[in-house]
Amino acid sequence: MRKIAFAAFAALAVTGALAGCGEKMSEAGISAERLLGAQADDANWITYGRNYEEQRFSPLDKINTENVGELGLAWSADMDTARGQESTPLVIDGVMYFTTAWSKVKAYNAATGEEIWTYDPEVPGETGVKACCDVVNRGLAAWGDALFLGTLDGRLVKLDRETGKVEWEKVTVDQAKSYTITGAPRVIDGKVLIGSGGAEFGVRGYFGAYDADSGEELWRFYTVPGGDEDENSPEYLRKAAETWSGDVLGSESGIGGGGTVWDAMAYDPELDLLYVGVGNGSPWNRAYRSPGEDGTGEGDNLYLSSIVAVRPETGEYVWHYQTTPGETWDYTATQHIMLADLEIEGEQRKVLMQAPKNGFFYVLDRETGEFISGDPYVTLNWATGIDENGRPIENPETRIDKTGKPAMVTPGALGGHNWHPMAFHPGEGLVYIPAFEAAMMYAPEADWKPDVNRGFNVGFDLAAGDLPPDEGFRREVAGTLRGMLVAWDPVKGEPRWTVEHPGPWNGGLLATAGGLVFQGTAGSEFNAYNAATGDKLWSFPAQTGVVAPPITYTVDGEQYVAVLAGWGGAYALSVDGELMKRKAPVRNVSRMLVFKLGGTSALPEAQDMATAPLDPPPSRASADIIAAGGKSYARYCAVCHAPGAVGSTVLPDLRRSGTLENKAAWLSIVHDGALQDNGMASFKGSLSKEQIDAIREWIIFRANQDKVMSTEQ
């Protein structure tokens, strides 16, 4: 049926008869036909990746290489959430809709910046500790006269597009577990598709389809076995179960296996295939997740770190390709999935492309899942290549679940490319990748046990990579961090050009028919580049790091470019704050920025970044208490407050906390949850008062070390 609908639409497009599609094509609502024709709709941006192929290429060319220097700020709007901003706005018939941190939704006049409505789902603050990578949200889906939102606490919400009023909401996860939703839903034929996150904490991954009218769950696809498969289980899960060992799945440990679907989706309406990216294992360390008889990691562990194709009508499994068999490094395949038709070796191929965390750029046949090519787009050392069967040729020294020994591995857990969307320019034949390099020390933790209440469940000693209070060593490590915009030729399997950035974690991308590529940076710029050469043609001082991807649209024939600015996300929270400052000092100032040719608006004057002095109380605890506190900090605190307690500018730097010298105040926050409404939940279910106070003593110790280091510079 979908093939018939697609063929009918294609015929209408050829004859230019889109306006005759009747009521479904009217401006009142988003229909199947309107989504199928999204690429030709130059006025609007009606779905997350612009079209079902997720190419993020706009046919607009009024802003181009010749006049982009005349681009100016048309309007801006300050947000009320000073956390990471990752949303792709939608623009529908002159109105802009987007999400912000904490799953809030805003609607603005897309030409003037006048606020129309705002919606707050009132996510409980304590949900913040369930989020591995900030309290972000990446966007909305539209269908009919409604918008669909996934909230951080696991609800799917339908909003009236005109008013922002709730029409229904559906809890899609077990809220007693550490599930979260940060990704944007997609809609296919009235089915709202959404997954969730939480593999770092210990959940079982799945994604599902929900009826747009009622919110009823129509089907659910589990990405890893449940441990209780029998002859009545779906065949794809029975086959997956054969690739796991041990008794983790479905066990009392409750760590679930992972494989969450928290971001990437794409759809081919002609083949009627939905493609999703599947995440990492839970725990990361395969030796604990899927141990063999010798206690080391065993098995491919399907469908972790895989691209899976299913029928959107039923959720029926069609094919899969696993990018990292038996993954143990947090090498998710949840990164942007993009579809295109390319000529490869003289043959026109329908392909799927992805640059997942593991550092290889993949080109697959999207009809069959056949491996076509895989080439490194960043430096990597965990594998030397990919064999003819599409399996990585691994470096055994980095297979830490086998060796049981620490190893410095690149890419690290943040990957060579994370969630930030790529863009494709069909005229140039290039995919633009927001890539970076940041290695990680992986050290297996002996006698590791899961804790499903709080904290990371990864099976590694997360303190192993903490940097010592040594200025020279820190400078050396900072020098290894790279951020770059890579213009990748997917046919040749190599970059055509590369732009170096001050550091990692730069924004998602937009390509246009005007010969431009737009990207924000961790260096607080919003830039336009020549799509063919990489030359920087225009830059705007955004006053904050920009990680979200831009869009472009028209209102009354005027072309606009918009991006939601606001520093945050996994890198901003979970990387040593001093390393970030050395590359590009950055803070969060959350704003929507909208540009047009001749725009004359201006931002308020940037404020200086003020930092409280590093003046901790004396360190008097015993070495044993300090060591125990450091171990607990790494597992339970570092994900938000950074390794080594060297905080960034998004969340409090605990070395400077006024509660360090007040044990009672510290316990009231960390044990009793005095600040849970702000996102700082109680940890009393996982840590005793003695353990919590040991964390305080360790932070005091670390702060004193860093104070000495700063005075010696």
Side-chain angles (χ1 to χ4, degrees), residues 493-506:
E494 63 186 25
R496 182 181 300 174
W497 52 259
T498 299
V499 172
E500 294 284 343
H501 291 315
W505 213 249
N506 301 287

Side-chain angles (χ1 to χ4, degrees), residues 119 121 151 155-158 166-171 214-215:
Y119 165 70
T151 67
R155 289 172 283 156
L156 182 62
V157 181
K158 180 179 181 180
V166 175
E167 295 192 6
W168 55 252
E169 63 177 53
K170 171 80 172 182
V171 176
S214 66

Side-chain angles (χ1 to χ4, degrees), residues 355-673:
K357 278 189 184 180
N358 72 14
F360 287 100
F361 187 94
Y362 293 89
V363 181
L364 309 179
D365 184 298
R366 69 176 183 264
E367 185 170 8
T368 64
E370 173 194 356
F371 171 77
I372 297 175
S373 65
D375 299 283
Y377 64 91
V378 290
T379 303
L380 52 86
N381 73 350
W382 73 277
T384 58
I386 300 176
D387 67 22
E388 61 184 11
N389 297 313
R391 291 186 67 91
I393 304 167
E394 295 179 355
N395 173 2
E397 293 181 1
T398 65
R399 195 29 112 165
I400 42 193
D401 61 315
K402 286 286 190 181
T403 67
K405 300 177 181 178
M408 182 68 74
V409 184
T410 184
L414 289 174
H417 167 225
N418 207 277
W419 70 270
H420 315 78
M422 306 182 298
F424 176 65
H425 195 298
E428 297 293 336
L430 294 175
V431 177
Y432 304 95
I433 311 170
F436 58 92
E437 295 182 356
M440 177 172 170
M441 174 64 74
Y442 294 83
E445 182 173 340
D447 302 318
W448 175 84
K449 301 295 181 187
D451 178 353
V452 296
N453 294 311
R454 290 278 188 265
F456 265 24
N457 284 303
V458 298
F460 290 122
D461 178 2
L462 293 175
D466 287 358
L467 299 182
D470 181 290
E471 177 64 22
F473 188 85
R474 285 176 174 271
R475 189 182 303 114
E476 183 177 343
V477 171
T480 68
L481 300 176
R482 292 181 66 205
M484 54 271 199
L485 165 56
V486 179
W488 186 263
D489 186 326
V491 176
K492 293 182 178 180
E494 63 186 25
R496 182 181 300 174
W497 52 259
T498 299
V499 172
E500 294 284 343
H501 291 315
W505 213 249
N506 301 287
L509 291 154
L510 164 69
T512 76
L516 298 170
V517 173
F518 289 92
Q519 183 187 31
T521 75
S524 299
E525 294 180 338
F526 183 51
N527 299 326
Y529 303 91
N530 186 306
T533 66
D535 294 332
K536 186 192 289 188
L537 303 178
W538 172 83
S539 184
F540 179 83
Q543 301 182 356
T544 185
V546 181
V547 294
I551 67 163
T552 188
Y553 60 91
T554 63
V555 178
D556 296 330
E558 179 89 59
Q559 183 179 353
Y560 297 83
V561 176
V563 68
L564 185 60
W567 181 241
Y571 181 82
L573 298 187
S574 62
V575 172
D576 185 298
E578 288 297 326
L579 291 186
M580 279 184 278
K581 292 175 186 176
R582 291 168 193 269
K583 305 301 286 188
V586 61
R587 61 177 177 176
N588 180 288
V589 182
S590 293
R591 288 191 180 109
M592 173 57 69
L593 303 174
V594 180
F595 304 88
K596 68 177 182 179
L597 294 174
T600 58
S601 186
L603 296 179
E605 185 176 346
Q607 301 297 309
D608 292 335
M609 283 191 286
T611 302
L614 193 59
D615 188 24
S619 177
R620 297 190 175 94
S622 69
D624 287 345
I625 289 176
I626 290 170
K631 190 177 182 68
S632 294
Y633 177 93
R635 181 166 186 178
Y636 293 97
C637 311
V639 62
C640 288
H641 293 284
V646 185
S648 69
T649 57
V650 178
L651 289 178
D653 182 339
L654 296 182
R655 297 172 304 162
R656 294 174 163 85
S657 171
T659 62
L660 287 180
E661 56 187 346
N662 188 324
K663 177 179 177 179
W666 180 267
L667 289 175
S668 73
I669 295 170
V670 186
H671 184 271
D672 300 336

Side-chain angles (χ1 to χ4, degrees), residues 19-246:
C21 287
E23 194 170 306
K24 283 188 175 181
M25 288 298 296
S26 72
E27 292 189 348
I30 301 300
S31 63
E33 288 85 358
R34 202 168 174 190
L35 285 169
L36 287 166
Q39 185 57 26
D41 183 356
D42 59 4
N44 300 298
W45 190 291
I46 63 174
T47 186
Y48 180 71
R50 180 164 173 81
N51 53 15
Y52 275 140
E53 294 83 1
E54 304 275 325
Q55 293 179 351
R56 292 183 177 263
F57 171 78
S58 170
L60 292 173
D61 61 3
K62 291 187 177 181
I63 301 171
N64 53 56
T65 56
E66 298 298 320
N67 61 20
V68 67
E70 302 170 23
L71 209 57
L73 189 66
W75 60 268
S76 65
D78 289 349
M79 300 296 106
D80 60 353
T81 51
R83 297 290 293 269
Q85 306 295 345
E86 299 185 356
S87 178
T88 296
L90 300 184
V91 174
I92 304 172
D93 306 328
V95 180
M96 177 188 291
Y97 309 92
F98 59 92
T99 59
T100 74
W102 291 108
S103 312
K104 297 181 180 182
V105 185
K106 304 280 189 179
Y108 286 84
N109 182 304
T112 67
E114 177 188 0
E115 184 173 318
I116 299 172
W117 55 257
T118 186
Y119 165 70
D120 183 355
E122 299 181 348
V123 171
E126 59 266 30
T127 308
V129 300
K130 296 182 179 182
C132 75
C133 311
D134 208 348
V135 294
V136 297
N137 190 281
R138 294 186 194 92
L140 301 157
W143 180 258
D145 297 322
L147 300 170
F148 297 87
L149 159 76
T151 67
L152 192 70
D153 59 345
R155 289 172 283 156
L156 182 62
V157 181
K158 180 179 181 180
L159 300 176
D160 180 279
R161 184 153 51 87
E162 183 177 354
T163 64
K165 301 298 184 184
V166 175
E167 295 192 6
W168 55 252
E169 63 177 53
K170 171 80 172 182
V171 176
T172 69
V173 303
D174 181 346
Q175 291 180 313
K177 298 180 179 179
S178 290
Y179 283 104
T180 52
I181 296 178
T182 56
R186 312 296 201 279
V187 180
I188 300 172
D189 275 352
K191 298 173 185 63
V192 187
L193 303 152
I194 193 68
S196 55
E200 277 69 36
F201 299 89
V203 299
R204 183 188 183 192
Y206 61 88
F207 62 100
Y210 298 82
D211 183 84
D213 290 331
S214 66
E216 175 190 1
E217 183 177 301
L218 302 175
W219 53 259
R220 178 176 291 192
F221 185 102
Y222 283 101
T223 58
V224 297
D228 57 355
E229 279 66 35
D230 57 26
E231 64 276 5
N232 297 316
S233 302
E235 182 182 7
Y236 84 93
L237 280 179
R238 297 202 305 270
K239 288 184 176 180
E242 296 171 1
T243 69
W244 292 72
S245 61

